[in-house]
Every structure is written in C-alpha cells, then in structure tokens.
Amino acid sequence: MYLATTGRRDAPAPPRTGGAGRRVPGTVLALGTVSLVTDISSEMVTAVLPLYLVLGLGLSPLQFGFLDGLFNGAASVVRLLGGHAADRGGRHKRVAGIGYALSACSRLGLLLAGGATAGIATAIATDRVGKGIRTAPRDALITLSSRPEVLGRSFGVHRAMDTTGALLGPLAAFALLWATADAYDAVFVVSFCVGLLGLLILVLYVPGGHPAPPTNSTPRTRKTCEALRDPAFRRILAAAALLGVATVGDAFVYLLLQRRLGLPVGWFPLLPLGAATCYLLLAVPAGRLADRVGRRLPFLYGHVALLGVYATFLAPTGGPASLLLVPVLALLGVFYATTDGVLMALAGPVLPADGRAGGLALLQTGQALARMLAAAGFGAAWTVWGPRPALWAAISALLAALAGGWALLPRDPSGTPAPKRPGAPIPERRTA
C-alpha cells in the first residue's frame, strides 16, 4: 500500500477509480505513518518541556517565551535551506530524513544536559532545526503525489495521522512520569528510541522525491525566492504572517490553564490531549470541506476559533473546571484542524513543481517568524502586565489580523476547483 505511487514521481498521482477511499496516495499514508511515530517521540518531550523549564528550572514566563520563540524562529530560517536543498535534484526524502534524525538525536542532548541551561538550549535548538529542515520537503512530497483538487483531503489524512501521534505522546509521557516518580530522563530515553523508529519507517517505506528538472529551468539559487514573484503567493504569505503575529503559542495556553485551574503538576502533560483529540476528529472533514468550498474561508474561520480560546480565558471565574477546560481545548483543536494543512493546500497549487519545497518553506518561515514575535510579545506582556491584560492585547491583535487576512487572501489562488467526476483532467499547474 505504501509503495502504490512509486511508479511516477514527477507528476501528480493519476486518477483512481477504486472508490473515494483510494484517492489518498500511498506516499501520503507512508508519510503519515512516519509523522505518527515521530510525533509520539516529540510530543513526549513537548508535553513536559514547559513544566520542566518553568516549574522545574524556574524560568519566568518572559524567559520561557523568549527561549521558545527564539528557537522556533531560528529553526524557521533553516526551513529555507531545507526547502532549497530538497528542490535540488528532487532530494525531498533525503533532506526530510536528515531533519528526522536531528530531532531524534536531540532527545539524547536533553538527557546529557542534566540541568545545565546551555545544554538544554542546544538540545531544544537541535530539535527545532530538525523539524524546520523536514517540514517543507515532507509537505512538498504530499502536494507532488496528490491531485490538486484533493490536496485538502490528503493533508487532512496526513495531519490526522500526525495528530494521533500527538495524542499518544503526552499519554506516554504521563505514564512514564507516573511510573518513575517524575523522572524526566526516562521520558527522554524512550522518546529517542521512538524517534529512531520513525526514521527507519521513512527510509524503508517512503519513496524518493521529485526528480531533477530539465537543465534549461531556472537555476536552483533563485527557485526559493522566485515564488515571491507570484502575486497570489505574496498575498498568502502576507496573510499567514499577519495572522501569525497574533497567534499565542500552545505552551502559553496550557500554562494559563494550569495556573487558572490549579492543576497538579503530574496532570500537566495531559492538557494537549483534548486539543489533539479534536484535531484528530476534524482534520479529514476540514480538509474535505476546504476542497469543496475553497481553502480561504476555513483558514480564516480557524483563527476565529483561536479568538474564542483567548476570550474563554477572560470569562468570569467559578464553576466546574470543565467550563474552562473543554471549550479551550476544543477550540484549539478546531483552530489547528482548519488552518495547518489547509494553508499548505492553499499555497501548494500556486507554486511550480520544481520549486514547491522552497516555496512552502518560505511560507512556513514567514509564519514561524511571526509566531516568534507573538511568543516573545505575549511573554513580555504577561510578565509586565499580568495574564489578563496580555490576553486583551492578544484579542485586539487577532481581530486586526483577521481583518487584514480577509482582505489579503485571494479567493481561489489555485484556480483548480474540484471536478465532479473522478476522471477529470489534471490542471497543468496553475492559472493564478
């Protein structure tokens, strides 16, 4: 099943007639399996990292926000190099493999660092760099193996599998912390072993990337930035960056929940499970809806759900904890289900096949740098003003960003509405 699409790697997958369930290419399923296993590894660490740094090592919200934002921003720049390298000769799988290997090795770095801040910072940076390197080549492989009119569904299936790992990772971390009396070293060791398994699945079951383009094509050094010449792509990039500036990181949401509800430390790793469950249930339906009605509106409405997350924290206190916990985690899951893969499906058809990884990397970099500013800004506002004024500032910024995103996003940048019948011809590339 996983090698069903290895016959042609230089064009979108041919139409299938065996039913709707077979329209998702084998490459997408194989990459989804890799992401599932890798996310178990990464989310085991991510689930305990804010707790470890803020409550264990005593970092302030400002220090944590700056550290998290800095490393995410620095890693986002590496995405450009990863996308550029993947487009050179179609080395998508090889470049993605390097990223997965770096992330796996970073778990050993956390284990060896002990309590040394410099060692922890290096390990976190290595993990972020690995994620930055692999993301664009992986998403490019998804777009290159899927028909344009079902890209939303392909990304939805991949993100659902990816989120299954995100769901299992915190559970594993919680079980390990409970069984070992809060021994973080055990979490890091198991995370490393699971990360190696994900890398092995990539090597064995994911076919290689897009082949090298003809020799008369645009030089590789220009492909990444060449995407900026397309007006539709520029508008997508500007909208994603604008909305990213108003996006508070998940870690702050979970820290706010922990402090507001007074949750015991041992329950902290379970907080991402609610959002991951909602994301898992909605990823495929959201992708199919985006293919049907267009990807612009789901992307914008997803940020309206994020606005609901901020507003829920400002609601009057009192009553059962579920009155705060359930809406926040559910809305956060809706936000990711309607924005993460949908943004890649929105931009993919706009980009040429031989420069797709670089273009997606450019988009992901712009969004991540914007979120770096958001994390640092929210951490500073929380430290100086307190959490409630910081949330009011985040709501104001997001409302302004939504207005800007509505004006910026093109209505149909791909120009490829879904055909009514499975055998419809594949568009040449784009019409925008």
Side-chain angles (χ1 to χ4, degrees):
M1 175 177 67
Y2 291 134
L3 301 180
T5 58
T6 57
R8 289 183 63 199
R9 301 177 188 173
D10 59 340
R16 299 176 181 267
T17 58
R22 293 177 57 85
R23 293 174 66 188
V24 177
T27 299
V28 176
L29 297 176
L31 286 168
T33 305
V34 174
S35 293
L36 188 156
V37 175
T38 302
D39 247 33
I40 294 176
S41 170
S42 62
E43 292 301 322
M44 287 178 65
V45 175
T46 301
V48 302
L49 199 58
L51 191 69
Y52 184 52
L53 295 179
V54 175
L55 301 182
L57 299 183
L59 297 184
S60 70
L62 174 60
Q63 290 172 318
F64 174 72
F66 179 77
L67 192 66
D68 186 64
L70 177 64
F71 287 141
N72 279 308
S76 68
V77 176
V78 180
R79 286 188 178 124
L80 295 175
L81 299 177
H84 172 76
D87 284 333
R88 290 178 62 91
R91 297 180 293 185
H92 300 85
K93 176 181 175 180
R94 186 183 307 175
V95 174
I98 293 173
Y100 283 113
L102 284 174
S103 292
C105 291
S106 71
R107 319 299 185 225
L108 287 182
L110 286 170
L111 180 65
L112 298 175
T117 303
I120 292 172
T122 301
I124 296 174
T126 302
D127 175 59
R128 300 296 195 270
V129 167
K131 185 174 182 179
I133 289 175
R134 72 178 184 252
T135 302
R138 180 202 65 199
D139 286 350
L141 280 172
I142 294 174
T143 65
L144 291 169
S145 64
S146 304
R147 293 172 56 90
E149 65 272 10
V150 295
L151 268 179
R153 180 175 181 172
S154 291
F155 274 104
V157 169
H158 174 269
R159 295 316 197 246
M161 298 178 74
D162 181 272
T163 307
T164 302
L167 191 65
L168 296 175
L171 281 175
F174 174 78
L176 282 171
L177 288 178
W178 178 80
T180 60
D182 296 339
Y184 291 100
D185 288 355
V187 176
F188 300 151
V189 170
V190 175
S191 174
F192 169 70
C193 296
V194 176
L196 287 184
L197 176 61
L199 180 62
L200 181 63
I201 295 173
L202 176 78
V203 172
L204 294 179
Y205 294 109
V206 175
H210 197 275
T215 55
N216 60 353
S217 62
T218 304
R220 295 299 95 197
T221 56
R222 297 173 54 192
K223 277 296 180 185
T224 298
C225 293
E226 186 178 310
L228 292 174
R229 297 181 180 179
D230 190 299
F233 180 77
R234 288 201 305 268
R235 294 172 68 180
I236 294 172
L237 175 61
L242 182 62
L243 289 163
V245 171
T247 301
V248 174
D250 296 356
F252 281 117
V253 172
Y254 300 140
L255 285 172
L256 284 166
L257 279 173
Q258 192 273 334
R259 295 195 176 197
R260 178 81 171 267
L261 301 176
L263 295 176
V265 169
W267 291 92
F268 187 87
L270 294 181
L271 288 178
L273 295 184
T277 300
C278 187
Y279 187 5
L280 173 63
L281 294 175
L282 294 179
V284 176
R288 297 181 66 178
L289 178 65
D291 287 336
R292 181 173 300 179
V293 305
R295 292 144 195 169
R296 173 178 178 266
L297 288 179
F299 182 70
L300 291 171
Y301 289 152
H303 286 84
V304 174
L306 183 63
L307 189 67
V309 173
Y310 301 165
T312 303
F313 280 115
L314 296 173
T317 57
S322 60
L323 292 179
L324 175 67
L325 189 66
V326 173
V328 166
L329 297 181
L331 287 170
L332 192 62
V334 171
F335 164 67
Y336 280 111
T338 53
T339 59
D340 186 13
V342 171
L343 178 61
M344 296 300 102
L346 180 69
V350 172
L351 298 164
D354 58 354
R356 191 158 298 176
L360 292 179
L362 190 62
L363 176 62
Q364 293 160 357
T365 297
Q367 186 181 55
L369 288 175
R371 290 182 176 180
M372 175 192 71
L373 296 177
F378 186 81
W382 184 350
T383 302
V384 175
W385 301 330
R388 289 185 67 85
L391 284 167
W392 278 115
I395 287 177
S396 301
L398 185 52
L399 285 172
L402 277 168
W406 181 273
L408 283 169
L409 280 177
R411 295 187 180 275
D412 186 19
S414 66
T416 55
K420 299 294 183 182
R421 50 193 174 84
I426 301 175
E428 284 296 325
R429 208 169 72 190
R430 59 188 174 100
T431 59

